[in-house]
Amino acid sequence: MSIVPISPLEYGRLRDAIRERFGIYFDDGKQFLLQSRLQSRLPKVRATTFEEYAQYLQASPDREREWDELACVLSNNETYFFRERAQLDVLASEVLDEALKSGGRLRVWSSACSTGEEPYTISMMLAETHRISPASLTINATDLSPRALEKAKTAFYRELSFRATPVEMVQRYFRPFEGGFFINDEIKRLVSFSRINLLDAAAVAAMGVHDAIFCRNVLIYFDKPTQKRVVEAFAKALRPGGYLFLGHAESIMRITDLYEPVVTPKAIYYRRK
Ligand SMILES: C[S@@+](CC[C@H](N)C(=O)[O-])C[C@H]1O[C@@H](n2cnc3c(N)ncnc32)[C@H](O)[C@@H]1O
């Protein structure tokens, strides 16, 4: 297949449309990356140039279906069980303690859950504590990518997803099947999946109020104004004092004053003021 060239004008138009829709930002050095990710989409909508493709995204009656495809093609879905474990330990101790003291319900949201490893890890870690019943626990899990969510709901995983998983957790919570593993129903049942674009502030607020939100390893793909917009929308979906967990490479210290940073020797997180 020959490579379709992309002009600076076409690149600017497409990356602005993508940033506006999904928040994902391709800076000046990422032209080749965007070009290679979109390349295979052009023939699918019978576009021969990136200009035609940009027009299709803007004006075709079928454009929403193509945007759904883009949500899958553009996102980096890299994730694994027990990733950045120290924050999960904070959830299973401090956050759970507080919830049990004040009414006994715990509501957690994994807001860019990709293929499901993060919310299922939350589910396993809370099950391990034997301190909260399924009826008192809500674990919401959302993502932008329909394909990632399909995989999450299937709950079948191969070796790479287990790179940080203790062996006894695999033995306890998974069953082997044809070179991979299905997660057990008791863990799966605790997680509710749905599709949410984090730029949609109304949809974020409609998720209801949580004790903790995980938004890890997604803000790095957004520019600063979009990061601010997303974390400020989260303030409506968190109780006062609620916890916000971001990825290691992500910081909102100079972006918003709605949260108090908490820095411990093992984990950094934020609490809603
Ligand atoms: C690298 S994964 C992170 C998965 C998990 N949170 C972790 O830390 O392992 C990033 C995810 O963010 C999702 N994403 C990107 N833009 C998004 C948006 N605007 N709204 C919701 N999810 C988005 C992608 O689809 C992708 O699954």
Side-chain angles (χ1 to χ4, degrees), residues 178-189:
E178 293 186 353
F181 293 86
F182 276 108
I183 199 148
N184 287 353
D185 285 345
E186 56 164 311
I187 295 303
K188 192 175 165 190
R189 220 177 283 132

Side-chain angles (χ1 to χ4, degrees), residues 21-24 71 75-80 83-84 110-115 118 142-145 148 196-199 215-218 221-222:
R21 174 68 76 125
F22 298 143
I24 302 170
S75 52
N76 173 352
N77 298 123
E78 160 74 5
T79 186
Y80 48 93
R83 184 176 194 175
E84 295 168 27
S110 166
S111 70
C113 70
S114 187
T115 43
E118 182 176 275
T142 63
D143 198 272
L144 179 68
S145 161
I196 292 241
N197 182 347
L198 293 177
L199 264 57
C215 181
R216 303 194 301 172
N217 305 302
V218 59
Y221 301 106
F222 299 167

Side-chain angles (χ1 to χ4, degrees), residues 67-110:
W67 276 111
D68 285 355
E69 285 297 329
L70 273 194
C72 302
V73 169
L74 293 174
S75 52
N76 173 352
N77 298 123
E78 160 74 5
T79 186
Y80 48 93
F81 294 110
F82 294 92
R83 184 176 194 175
E84 295 168 27
R85 165 85 191 244
Q87 293 180 330
L88 298 154
D89 289 330
V90 173
L91 176 75
S93 53
E94 196 175 320
V95 185
L96 179 59
D97 287 346
E98 273 179 26
L100 294 176
K101 269 187 226 142
S102 58
R105 284 203 58 79
L106 177 63
R107 300 147 302 175
V108 187
W109 179 14
S110 166

